[in-house]
């Protein structure tokens, strides 16, 4: 329990959203409150808008920005908040899913006009897999969006989680008048383009207070009182335990661009969000309060400048204290490694850091020793578990165009897939290499990088597969299945057997014919 004090000060989370819901804007407002930036507009969007190879440098420029904003650490009310950035672009969804394994909770941003969108659902599924606590922020209330009660129903239905409003809007769109905070019972009136300050927040012990009648017209006052009565009647009182167990999502309403409702959200976040928690490892549960250090790599970012080919591996500390220049055990390579220049991301600057505690993220320079899911310990052999691999949606065969560069190609594709750019499958009992990605953009990135960084020219041939299924079940059944379906069987990088299905129909047929085998769309790295 040596570090209990440090641990109790830390909250690590990610903001997730379908693109355009307002993630960047909200991030910026949080950083302004945390004093990590001084002016609006300082946070650049990490959105990738271009889609062709000729725009590659643009993508890289944007990726460069995203590394700088990968982790943003700031202090707010004596809490050290680690905000982990997630790319919104669908093609980089896997990156986001992995980042979610490195945080203890999540803020999900919803556009009140669009409601729950495709990416929102998928991101939420990942949170549900790990019971990650989620706070929902319904953004853009200055626009005419969906009726708040309908939105709450939609959230419950599509996201498969119970919700509980902790703030409530007074109208919306051009008629948006303010937000009532049900959590600490205070009211803020909304004035467009005016930043709400602490003085504007009026604590109300009772909604029948004359303040409500003085500041809102009779219709709005009656509506607010009626709505709040309805909420208190329909929804159970907010239960923090349920939130921490990932069973209940508190909901806030506001307008990020107008900095409205954001402080309510941040204050409540700091009050209720979890501090770093225990983790599961392959051999045992890792108590966050253990004195001995452990941590895992959840993201690797390549430096694409040909003069500086190093990479940055992002380490999440899970227990104990990480120290600069101390030797740690790299479990997979079974060797001891140390880092002379690890850095942290306080105030959006990269600073060399001497020590770090559970919940913190440290950037480590890497010359190719790490892959995603690697664990560092003080000597014990285990891997922190929970990092998912999801079935890719596009499959292409990697074809070598220059036989003299076979070695380079092999090395390049291994390193790129270690970084998590794409998944590599190898034909079972053969040598054909199949690359699986979520989006087309990654194929272009791979082709470009193989040539630029490894001097290997390749070509991709599209394959007619739609899903990768990791097979589990009785050994003899799987062996029999492999014999019959050999042309559809590949292995992932860890040697797990994977069936590539041509279509949903084929998959369903195989499922019916092989009831003892499970066809899983996800697999855990460990
Ligand atoms: P991201 O893709 O989720 O990071 O979204 P951004 O933060 O870049 O926001 C997308 C667009 O929505 C931008 O043009 C923002 O200015 C706008 N936006 C963000 N918050 C609000 C809001 O509260 N109201 C309105 N009307 N627009 C907003």
């Amino acid at each position: 329990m040596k570090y209990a004090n440090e641990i109790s000060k830390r909250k690590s989370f990610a903001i997730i959203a379908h693109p355009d819901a307002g993630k960047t804007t909200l991030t910026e407002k949080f950083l302004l409150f945390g004093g990590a930036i001084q002016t609006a507009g300082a946070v650049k969007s990490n959105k990738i808008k271009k889609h062709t190879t000729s725009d590659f440098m643009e993508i890289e420029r944007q990726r460069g920005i995203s590394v700088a904003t990968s982790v943003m650490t700031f202090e707010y009310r004596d809490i050290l908040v680690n905000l982990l950035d997630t790319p919104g672009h669908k093609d980089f969804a896997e990156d986001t899913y992995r980042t979610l394994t490195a945080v203890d909770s999540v803020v999900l941003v919803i556009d009140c006009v669009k409601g729950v969108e495709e990416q929102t659902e998928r991101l939420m599924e990942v949170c549900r897999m790990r019971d990650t606590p989620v706070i929902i922020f319904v953004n853009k209330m200055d626009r005419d969006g969906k009726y708040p009660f309908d939105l709450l129903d939609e959230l419950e239905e599509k996201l498969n989680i119970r919700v509980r409003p902790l703030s409530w809007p007074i109208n919306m769109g051009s008629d948006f008048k303010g937000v009532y905070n049900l959590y600490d019972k205070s009211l803020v009136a909304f004035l467009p383009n005016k930043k709400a300050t602490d003085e504007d927040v009026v604590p109300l012990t009772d909604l029948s207070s004359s303040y409500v009648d003085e500041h809102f017209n009779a219709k709005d006052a009656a509506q607010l009182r009626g709505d709040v009565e309805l909420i208190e009647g329909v929804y159970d009182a907010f239960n923090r335990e349920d939130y921490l167990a990932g069973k209940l999502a508190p909901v806030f309403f506001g307008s990020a661009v107008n900095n409205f409702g954001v402080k309510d959200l941040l204050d409540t976040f700091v009050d209720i969000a979890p501090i770093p928690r225990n983790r599961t490892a392959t051999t045992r549960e890792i108590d966050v309060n253990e004195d001995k250090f452990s941590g895992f790599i959840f993201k690797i970012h390549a430096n694409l400048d040909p003069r500086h080919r190093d990479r940055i591996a992002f380490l999440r500390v899970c227990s104990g204290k990480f120290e600069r220049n101390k030797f740690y055990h790299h479990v997979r390579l079974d060797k001891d490694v140390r880092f002379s220049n690890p850095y942290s991301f306080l105030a959006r600057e990269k600073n060399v850091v001497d020590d770090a505690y559970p919940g913190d993220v440290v950037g480590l320079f890497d010359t190719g020793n790490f892959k995603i899911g690697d664990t560092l310990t003080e000597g014990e052999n285990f891997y922190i578990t929970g990092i998912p691999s999801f079935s890719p949606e596009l499959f292409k065969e990697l074809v070598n165009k220059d036989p003299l560069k076979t070695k380079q190609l092999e090395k390049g594709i291994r390193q790129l897939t270690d970084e998590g750019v794409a998944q590599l499958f190898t034909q079972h009992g053969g040598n054909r290499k199949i690359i699986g990605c979520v989006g087309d953009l990654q194929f272009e990135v791979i082709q470009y990088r193989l040539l630029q960084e490894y001097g290997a020219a390749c070509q991709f041939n599209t394959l007619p597969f739609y899903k990768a299924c990791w097979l589990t079940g009785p050994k003899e059944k799987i062996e029999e299945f492999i014999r019959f379906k050999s042309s559809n069987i590949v292995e992932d990088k860890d040697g797990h057997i994977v069936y590539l299905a041509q279509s949903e129909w084929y998959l369903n047929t195989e499922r019916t014919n092989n009831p003892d085998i499970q066809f899983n769309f996800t697999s855990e790295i460990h």
Side-chain angles (χ1 to χ4, degrees):
M1 299 284 279
K2 261 201 243 165
Y3 310 117
N5 191 30
E6 293 291 345
I7 295 168
S8 68
K9 278 198 298 203
R10 283 166 163 78
K11 308 224 167 183
S12 302
F13 80 114
I15 304 182
I16 54 176
H18 189 92
D20 274 342
K23 179 174 70 72
T24 311
T25 314
L26 185 65
T27 301
E28 180 175 291
K29 302 302 175 200
F30 275 2
L31 295 183
L32 283 166
F33 279 119
I37 54 169
Q38 269 65 47
T39 51
V43 177
K44 296 283 177 292
S45 169
N46 68 5
K47 246 177 278 178
I48 290 168
K49 300 178 186 86
K50 307 288 171 71
H51 291 271
T52 61
T53 323
S54 57
D55 294 316
F56 194 79
M57 288 327 287
E58 171 64 10
I59 294 171
E60 275 324 305
R61 200 182 58 76
Q62 297 194 20
R63 271 173 57 104
I65 291 165
S66 77
V67 79
T69 59
S70 285
V71 186
M72 291 159 274
T73 302
F74 60 93
E75 267 186 57
Y76 186 74
R77 286 184 16 205
D78 295 333
I79 294 288
L80 202 70
V81 181
N82 290 312
L83 201 179
L84 273 60
D85 194 28
T86 54
H89 194 289
K90 180 174 163 294
D91 288 7
F92 290 90
E94 283 237 34
D95 216 28
T96 300
Y97 301 154
R98 288 190 291 255
T99 299
L100 292 182
T101 64
V103 297
D104 299 297
S105 73
V106 152
V107 169
L108 170 66
V109 186
I110 305 272
D111 180 331
C112 73
V113 182
K114 295 185 176 146
V116 173
E117 297 174 83
E118 188 196 335
Q119 268 306 96
T120 328
E121 284 188 61
R122 300 194 59 179
L123 289 163
M124 192 65 185
E125 271 170 33
V126 179
C127 294
R128 300 302 315 276
M129 278 167 60
R130 313 183 63 246
D131 294 326
T132 307
V134 176
I135 298 180
I136 299 176
F137 182 68
V138 178
N139 190 27
K140 307 198 184 179
M141 290 306 291
D142 57 321
R143 291 212 183 149
D144 287 309
K146 298 184 181 183
Y147 183 55
F149 280 111
D150 289 347
L151 262 172
L152 292 179
D153 288 347
E154 181 177 334
L155 292 171
E156 288 209 325
E157 211 170 284
K158 292 199 177 156
L159 302 182
N160 194 20
I161 190 163
R162 272 193 302 133
V163 299
R164 175 37 159 119
L166 285 189
S167 82
W168 196 250
I170 301 156
N171 296 330
M172 60 165 53
S174 53
D175 222 14
F176 182 47
K177 299 273 174 53
V179 171
Y180 176 63
N181 187 326
L182 295 146
Y183 182 68
D184 66 7
K185 306 213 178 335
S186 60
L187 191 65
V188 197
F190 174 69
L191 297 167
N193 305 320
K194 180 186 170 294
K195 182 175 171 282
T197 62
D198 281 348
E199 295 84 73
D200 297 328
V201 180
V202 182
L204 296 176
T205 40
D206 189 345
L207 264 185
S208 61
S209 156
S210 60
Y211 176 89
V212 179
D213 301 293
E214 284 157 22
H215 285 79
F216 302 100
N217 66 34
K219 182 179 147 282
D220 292 345
Q223 176 89 38
L224 174 64
R225 288 176 177 134
D227 283 355
V228 170
E229 204 181 311
L230 191 62
I231 292 165
E232 303 295 357
V234 171
Y235 293 95
D236 293 337
F238 172 67
N239 178 329
R240 184 172 177 227
E241 291 311 309
D242 284 354
Y243 156 68
L244 292 177
K247 293 189 183 122
L248 176 77
V251 181
F252 287 82
F253 292 84
S255 168
V257 78
N258 290 295
N259 206 357
F260 204 82
V262 176
K263 191 165 180 300
D264 284 334
L265 172 70
L266 184 56
D267 280 326
T268 317
F269 167 83
V270 166
D271 279 349
I272 67 172
I275 60 172
R277 303 205 273 185
N278 297 349
R279 294 270 161 169
T280 310
T282 39
T283 54
R284 63 184 183 89
E285 181 91 354
I286 308 300
D287 190 323
V288 64
N289 283 305
E290 283 176 24
D291 291 346
K292 288 203 167 154
F293 161 78
S294 68
F296 70 99
I297 305 293
F298 64 94
K299 179 184 174 109
I300 294 176
H301 200 291
N303 185 350
L304 299 189
D305 180 343
R307 286 162 302 170
H308 305 277
R309 283 268 290 280
D310 46 7
R311 315 192 288 183
I312 300 160
F314 290 81
L315 173 92
R316 148 95 195 202
V317 180
C318 296
S319 65
K321 177 176 167 185
F322 172 88
E323 288 173 70
R324 183 155 87 100
N325 276 329
K326 186 167 170 180
F327 276 101
Y328 292 112
H329 182 56
H330 188 314
V331 176
R332 181 175 56 88
L333 299 184
D334 190 22
K335 72 174 190 188
D336 291 342
V337 288
R338 67 175 174 162
F339 303 92
S340 48
N341 287 309
Y343 55 78
S344 71
F345 303 84
L346 197 61
R348 303 192 63 246
E349 278 173 20
K350 287 192 281 188
N351 297 311
V352 170
V353 64
D354 289 322
D355 41 42
Y357 299 92
D360 287 344
V361 172
V362 181
L364 305 174
F365 285 107
D366 173 39
T367 48
N369 283 327
F370 283 124
K371 71 183 209 179
I372 284 168
D374 276 346
T375 298
L376 293 179
T377 67
E378 286 196 29
E380 202 179 325
N381 280 322
F382 60 75
Y383 290 103
I384 307 283
T385 59
I387 303 179
S389 281
F390 288 82
S391 170
E393 296 178 5
L394 300 169
F395 298 85
K396 296 190 183 188
E397 181 174 354
L398 176 73
V399 181
N400 187 0
K401 287 215 305 197
D402 182 352
L404 294 176
K405 295 283 170 65
T406 307
K407 268 208 180 120
Q408 285 86 335
L409 186 77
E410 296 262 344
K411 179 173 176 212
I413 198 65
R414 290 226 154 250
Q415 291 207 340
L416 293 186
T417 47
D418 280 352
E419 277 173 32
V421 180
Q423 292 182 51
L424 171 66
F425 301 102
T426 312
Q427 181 189 16
H428 181 64
N431 204 20
R432 280 175 72 194
K433 288 189 172 38
I434 295 170
I435 308 295
C437 288
V438 180
D440 252 326
L441 194 56
Q442 274 112 323
F443 289 110
E444 291 171 28
V445 171
I446 292 169
Q447 199 169 26
Y448 179 94
R449 289 189 54 190
L450 282 175
L451 192 61
Q452 295 297 315
E453 296 171 34
Y454 301 91
C458 76
Q459 171 186 322
F460 286 111
N461 292 346
T462 304
L463 297 171
F465 299 121
Y466 111 111
K467 278 275 191 262
C469 309
W470 282 267
L471 302 184
T472 48
K475 201 165 163 255
E476 62 289 351
K477 297 275 179 198
I478 292 183
E479 278 170 4
E480 189 185 320
F481 184 75
I482 292 174
R483 271 199 302 283
F484 281 108
K485 292 282 153 197
S486 58
S487 54
N488 292 58
I489 303 291
V490 292
E491 284 171 28
D492 73 6
K493 281 175 83 172
D494 301 313
H496 298 132
I497 297 291
V498 176
Y499 165 71
L500 300 180
Q502 288 98 319
S503 69
E504 201 175 344
W505 184 87
Y506 276 102
L507 177 57
N508 287 338
T509 311
E510 297 306 348
R511 278 193 161 135
T512 315
N513 293 344
N514 300 278
D516 296 325
I517 299 178
Q518 288 90 47
F519 295 76
N520 310 294
F521 288 154
T522 55
S523 133
E524 279 190 7
I525 291 182
H526 299 295

